Amino acid sequence: MIKYRWQRSPNNTGKLKPDLSGALMYFELVKRYGGVPLVGNKIFTVEDDLEISRNNYADCVNYIVSECDAIKDSLRFEKGANYGTSDWGRISKGAAIALKCRTYLYAASPLFNGGGFESNSNTKALTGYPSYDASRWQKVIDASEELIGIGYYALQSSFNNVFVVNRNTEVILSKQGTTNANIESINAPSGYATPALSLGRTSATSELVNAFPMNNGLAINSTSPASGYNPANPYLNRDPRFYLTIFYNGATWLRRGVQTFEGGLDKPGGTTIQTKTGFYVRKFMADFSNNTTYTNQSHNFILFRYAEILLNYAEALNEMGRTEDAVAQLKLIRARAGITAGTNARYGIPSGVSQSDLRTLIFNERRIELAFEEHRFWDVRRWKIAPAVLNTNVNGVKITKNADNTFTYQTQPAANLLFTNKLYHMPLPYSEIVKNSKMIQNEGW
């Protein structure tokens, strides 16, 4: 995480000055556990009673937001003279607003906005609001517009540049690091050997692969023949983000085609570490398709970026009934991705799309735009769709190379998932429960 030390207040009041890293840590706790004890900026002494009760969810949201608002104007301003040089990578005003926006987004979402599963009203208040309030979506809109209003952040013209160009106007906050080739070495297909030794540690699922639409924006399972999807050639003419996110059979890498067919160089069988699904993860890597080895690249881990803010904005606008305003945000995302506009300039989004259908599109757009950026795990929970998408098999594809050099594709299970309601929230550590009699455990644990 970003390492910013809290400073003692100058008047020695026994409190610490507001700091964004503290607010960020509180958010990370609350999204996992629900309400936690709010100790704020208090400095404890050995005489203090440390058996402190959990604050309810609403208190925690209000605290995180108040910290963001208290600190934002004292942080580095993106339009300052040194922001692109000596101040680059330091916490900025935009980071505080982005955290506020994400906090409000979670708070407005079905799981937390009156949709808790708990049978006890007191426990429910710890993990979310007791009742639904549509106006919570307006707070997401306001925070999104506040960040957009800074006038500094913008989508990069190239999707991949977001992750490999160190300084760019889409990144709001990232964990800085030295250049390296770690991601390439760890995640690229396992059939590549020295000098570009690759371990192939991460397998993408067929469900994610199938979520990417065609390059005209239409889903591959669309009932419209206009999508152009061909099951016999499933990776042709897909959303350009697909090619920058997934290694698929036939993709070019290090001057050869990726071979994830049965017995191929990247799926040889036996005990070698290899894909379990027929796919590897390509995201976050520079383009090494015509190289013979890897070179060091910028691999800063992004905590907030502008595309997320636009997706937050679109989701909130749609929930407030402003469907076409939400469409406008999705069009920005899809245009940057390289999806064709079409004759109606809607990038595959149907004219007159309903609120419900656009909600489904927004869910999917977040899935593919933010893939492997640590959002999906939490999104399916806050949307309360986890039982539907996590109580099932996740699949891969078995690819057989035919004698005429064509391929046959067969879906096959890769793993079985199980989800129960208690998994909406993590359990408080047992060590915390036994040493604090006032600490109430989450339901089901």
Side-chain angles (χ1 to χ4, degrees):
M1 283 297 176
I2 304 300
K3 295 180 179 178
Y4 261 59
R5 182 170 57 87
W6 282 9
Q7 306 267 329
R8 183 182 290 272
S9 58
N11 55 5
N12 291 317
T13 59
K15 295 184 178 181
L16 297 171
K17 293 162 63 177
D19 180 86
L20 192 69
S21 59
L24 180 58
M25 294 303 100
Y26 267 114
F27 172 79
E28 292 296 327
L29 288 171
V30 171
K31 82 176 183 181
R32 288 166 170 79
Y33 304 109
V36 295
L38 286 175
V39 298
N41 301 326
K42 177 180 172 59
I43 300 173
F44 286 90
T45 68
V46 293
E47 287 81 21
D48 286 318
D49 181 5
L50 297 182
E51 287 211 354
I52 305 172
S53 301
R54 294 172 66 180
N55 285 77
N56 64 35
Y57 181 82
D59 289 340
C60 292
V61 169
N62 292 339
Y63 176 78
I64 294 166
V65 170
S66 68
E67 290 288 281
C68 292
D69 283 336
I71 194 68
K72 65 183 180 183
D73 289 325
S74 63
L75 296 170
R76 287 160 181 81
F77 185 49
E78 288 79 353
K79 292 187 176 181
N82 298 322
Y83 186 72
T85 54
S86 59
D87 279 346
W88 176 259
R90 298 182 185 275
I91 296 178
S92 65
K93 179 177 181 177
I97 301 171
L99 176 56
K100 177 169 69 171
C101 184
R102 190 185 290 177
T103 301
Y104 276 147
L105 178 77
Y106 277 61
S109 298
L111 176 64
F112 302 105
N113 196 357
F117 68 91
E118 290 83 0
S119 57
N120 181 287
S121 60
N122 292 329
T123 307
K124 185 176 180 179
L126 292 175
T127 56
Y129 293 104
S131 59
Y132 177 76
D133 184 348
S135 69
R136 293 187 180 113
W137 288 109
Q138 184 59 47
K139 294 180 179 180
V140 184
I141 293 172
D142 293 343
S144 301
E145 292 177 348
E146 183 180 5
L147 188 136
I148 293 168
I150 290 176
Y152 171 82
Y153 296 104
L155 297 174
Q156 289 290 287
S157 59
S158 165
F159 176 71
N160 210 45
N161 280 359
V162 179
F163 311 106
V164 299
V165 174
N166 183 36
R167 297 180 180 181
N168 69 77
T169 57
E170 186 161 340
V171 174
I172 300 171
L173 183 64
S174 65
K175 183 181 184 297
Q176 305 287 297
T178 58
T179 59
N180 58 71
N182 292 345
I183 291 178
E184 288 81 3
S185 298
I186 292 170
N187 279 345
S190 59
Y192 294 90
T194 305
L197 181 65
S198 305
L199 301 177
R201 294 291 175 84
T202 309
S203 300
T205 66
S206 286
E207 284 74 19
L208 174 60
V209 168
N210 295 341
F212 286 91
M214 302 299 289
N215 62 5
N216 57 16
L218 297 179
I220 68 169
N221 60 355
S222 172
T223 56
S224 170
S227 74
Y229 177 69
N230 180 4
N233 196 359
Y235 314 128
L236 180 66
N237 295 331
R238 299 292 289 273
D239 180 333
R241 289 171 293 187
F242 167 75
Y243 304 108
L244 296 169
T245 306
I246 305 294
F247 282 118
Y248 59 94
N249 187 60
T252 300
W253 192 249
L254 296 174
R255 298 187 180 179
R256 76 161 170 85
V258 173
Q259 299 179 11
T260 55
F261 57 84
E262 298 300 304
L265 291 174
D266 304 302
K267 199 174 189 297
T271 58
T272 302
I273 293 176
Q274 60 198 277
T275 176
K276 296 180 180 295
T277 62
F279 306 103
Y280 292 94
V281 174
R282 158 77 170 79
K283 195 168 181 180
F284 311 119
M285 301 182 194
D287 182 6
F288 290 105
S289 57
N290 293 314
N291 294 53
T292 57
T293 189
Y294 302 130
T295 57
N296 288 341
Q297 302 292 317
S298 172
H299 287 312
N300 296 335
F301 183 79
I302 296 173
L303 299 173
F304 298 101
R305 65 181 176 101
Y306 189 61
E308 180 203 343
I309 301 302
L310 294 181
L311 288 165
N312 297 350
Y313 192 28
E315 186 174 342
L317 287 167
N318 189 52
E319 295 303 327
M320 290 297 288
R322 296 170 57 183
T323 299
E324 282 303 306
D325 289 337
V327 167
Q329 310 312 311
L330 284 196
K331 287 166 66 176
L332 294 174
I333 298 286
R334 289 188 160 203
R336 187 277 293 277
I339 290 175
T340 57
T343 56
N344 61 358
R346 291 181 69 85
Y347 298 88
I349 303 169
S351 297
V353 64
S354 69
Q355 181 189 51
S356 177
D357 287 347
L358 187 63
R359 181 183 297 119
T360 300
L361 280 173
I362 291 169
F363 286 5
N364 194 69
E365 201 70 24
R366 284 185 69 94
R367 181 178 195 174
I368 58 180
E369 173 71 24
L370 304 176
F372 304 108
E373 296 180 50
E374 301 189 357
H375 288 277
R376 178 72 177 174
F377 181 94
W378 305 107
D379 281 347
V380 299
R381 285 161 172 76
R382 68 180 181 84
W383 292 329
K384 288 191 72 176
I385 64 171
V389 300
L390 296 181
N391 271 323
T392 184
N393 289 331
V394 289
N395 296 296
V397 61
K398 180 180 180 180
I399 306 172
T400 304
K401 187 174 183 178
N402 303 316
D404 61 356
N405 289 324
T406 61
F407 297 96
T408 301
Y409 302 89
Q410 179 184 357
T411 299
Q412 63 179 13
N416 181 259
L417 303 181
L418 177 66
F419 186 90
T420 60
N421 278 345
K422 73 175 186 178
L423 297 175
Y424 274 122
H425 307 293
M426 292 185 177
L428 275 63
Y430 178 72
S431 59
E432 296 295 324
I433 297 295
V434 297
K435 67 186 179 185
N436 183 352
S437 63
K438 296 180 180 178
M439 193 71 71
I440 299 173
Q441 182 61 281
N442 285 332
E443 187 165 314
W445 297 98

